[in-house]
């Protein structure tokens, strides 16, 4: 399905991308890239928005993102995507979503929309 058909739109900046969003999903190279994008978007983030961090950031990259989320009153779920190309082609990627249970539950529709199974065990 072409991106526009799925409600996806291109923007010129991270701030434009998150303006008015209830869910902010990041899937970038590493924690530094995610934090840089968030800093560029900071002025347009809505307090209470779900921040679904889906990059592989490691333990060193996670703490700054959690602090940023807290400082900007975002509901944070760390949910790195696990799986191989074969898993992805079959729609079988797994996401070990970590965060408060109510926030993980709120993340389920976004994960479903991305056709990713969430592991509620963390």
């Amino acid at each position: 399905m072409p991106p526009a058909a799925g409600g996806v739109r291109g923007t010129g900046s991270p701030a434009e991308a998150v303006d008015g969003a209830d869910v902010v999903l990041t899937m970038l190279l590493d924690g530094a890239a995610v934090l840089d994008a968030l800093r560029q978007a900071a002025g347009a983030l809505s307090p209470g928005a779900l921040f679904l961090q889906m990059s592989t950031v490691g333990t060193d990259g996670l703490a700054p993102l959690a602090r940023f989320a807290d400082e900007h009153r975002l509901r944070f779920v760390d949910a790195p995507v696990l799986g191989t190309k074969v898993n992805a082609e079959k729609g079988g990627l797994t996401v070990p979503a970590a965060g408060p249970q109510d926030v993980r539950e709120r993340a389920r529709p976004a994960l479903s929309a991305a056709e990713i199974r969430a592991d509620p065990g963390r």
Side-chain angles (χ1 to χ4, degrees), residues 6-112:
V8 176
R9 62 182 167 83
T11 64
S13 71
E16 287 178 42
V18 304
D19 189 29
D22 294 326
V23 177
V24 174
L25 185 151
T26 57
M27 191 178 289
L28 300 169
L29 177 63
D30 57 22
V34 174
L35 190 57
D36 180 54
L38 288 173
R39 286 179 175 150
Q40 291 180 52
L45 290 167
S46 299
L50 172 64
F51 169 29
L52 189 55
Q53 192 304 111
M54 299 185 74
S55 309
T56 301
V57 300
T59 54
D60 290 341
L62 187 58
L65 297 175
R67 277 193 302 275
F68 183 94
D70 188 51
E71 290 166 2
H72 292 84
R73 299 190 337 241
L74 303 174
R75 302 301 313 251
F76 182 55
V77 173
D78 182 45
V81 177
L82 304 175
T84 65
K85 180 179 177 184
V86 172
N87 295 119
E89 289 170 347
K90 293 179 180 179
L93 295 172
T94 301
V95 178
Q101 184 170 347
D102 66 316
V103 182
R104 289 193 328 261
E105 289 299 322
R106 183 174 167 201
R108 282 189 188 283
L111 293 169
S112 293

